[in-house]
């Protein structure tokens, strides 16, 4: 899962760079731009699916104490939201 996060973090600046460097060469650069978009979308879909079907259900089974959830909630508030 962490490797996927790292891969996503690497793709985002690539996408931004590709989009800002298009200039007048849209036709020539559109293919590489499109490939980055496809890779990013596929990776995100797969990653979210793993989270929803494996990670979150596993966490719900493992974390049973209300105090654990309360501690995590405090830590999450400190980190903040995306």
């Amino acid at each position: 899962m962490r490797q996927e996060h790292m891969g996503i973090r690497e793709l985002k600046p690539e996408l931004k760079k590709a989009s800002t460097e298009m200039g007048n060469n849209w036709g020539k650069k559109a293919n590489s731009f499109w490939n980055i978009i496809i890779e990013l979308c596929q990776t995100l879909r797969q990653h979210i699916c793993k989270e929803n079907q494996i990670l979150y259900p596993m966490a719900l089974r493992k974390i049973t104490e209300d105090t654990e959830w309360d501690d995590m909630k405090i830590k999450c508030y400190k980190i903040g939201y995306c």
Side-chain angles (χ1 to χ4, degrees), residues 14-69:
E14 274 186 52
L15 182 61
K16 183 176 182 176
K17 182 180 178 190
S19 68
T20 56
E21 292 180 351
M22 285 291 187
N24 294 327
N25 297 323
W26 175 256
K28 293 178 183 177
K29 295 188 177 183
N31 215 18
S32 65
F33 181 69
W34 184 246
N35 289 335
I36 296 169
I37 292 171
I38 290 171
E39 185 178 355
L40 183 59
C41 288
Q42 288 174 341
T43 303
L44 282 168
R45 279 190 190 111
Q46 291 170 358
H47 185 80
I48 291 168
C49 185
K50 287 178 194 172
E51 286 178 336
N52 290 339
Q53 294 181 0
I54 299 168
L55 183 66
Y56 298 146
M58 186 185 311
L60 289 171
R61 285 192 305 273
K62 291 295 261 180
I63 304 167
T64 57
E65 298 295 324
D66 287 342
T67 56
E68 290 178 277
W69 287 109

